[in-house]
Amino acid sequence: HCSPSPLLALTTARPHHCSITSLEHAVSLLGSVSGLLTSQFEEHLEAALMAASALLASFGKVIADTRRSAGMAANGAGMDLAAEERLGRCNACYNAFDDIYRKLGPLASNKSRLRQPAGDLRSDLRKTLGLSG
């Protein structure tokens, strides 16, 4: 099996600000994280939990704030093209986090040592992005 360490190296180097390119990279990384959550190897699952937590810490507030602002803007004047593109990237990240959230359910309810970190991440996803289900 392949090592998830390149993913960890990318996600633990948290950006100090979230630029458009960073959101694009986050979408890609979140897809890899989601894939790791289906692995039979505990090392991969642990790497996925760490990476998802790091990505949520780096981008969660931006995603939530952008989506909330877009909801308010929908009631008033239209958004500009850059704002629409940013919203698209934030929605893609939100959807990827939602996929991760759903995959965490079984992991958070089993008896492995990853039960607690998986449950904590699910809780953080609920608080930060309002995910449920």
Side-chain angles (χ1 to χ4, degrees):
H1 65 282
C2 64
S3 170
S5 55
L7 180 65
L8 279 180
L10 287 171
T11 58
T12 55
R14 296 182 188 169
H16 291 101
H17 67 289
C18 298
S19 67
I20 292 171
T21 303
S22 295
L23 283 169
E24 289 172 0
H25 289 129
V27 172
S28 176
L29 289 172
L30 286 166
S32 297
V33 168
S34 182
L36 282 176
L37 285 172
T38 62
S39 176
Q40 64 184 356
F41 301 106
E42 195 168 272
E43 175 184 276
H44 290 185
L45 296 171
E46 185 173 22
L49 290 172
M50 292 173 61
S53 293
L55 288 165
L56 182 63
S58 294
F59 299 102
K61 183 171 176 12
V62 170
I63 294 165
D65 289 349
T66 300
R67 289 171 49 87
R68 190 171 18 262
S69 295
M72 288 186 282
N75 297 330
M79 291 190 297
D80 62 28
L81 184 57
E84 287 181 18
E85 290 173 355
R86 182 181 184 91
L87 176 60
R89 286 186 290 276
C90 287
N91 283 337
C93 286
Y94 178 89
N95 291 335
F97 274 123
D98 185 53
D99 184 53
I100 289 167
Y101 180 84
R102 284 183 274 111
K103 289 179 179 177
L104 289 172
L107 190 57
S109 62
N110 72 21
K111 297 197 184 313
S112 81
R113 68 180 180 85
L114 299 177
R115 178 182 182 178
Q116 184 68 45
D120 291 347
L121 179 55
R122 277 179 61 90
S123 177
D124 291 345
L125 286 164
R126 278 192 299 271
K127 289 178 200 166
T128 306
L129 298 177
L131 295 176
S132 63

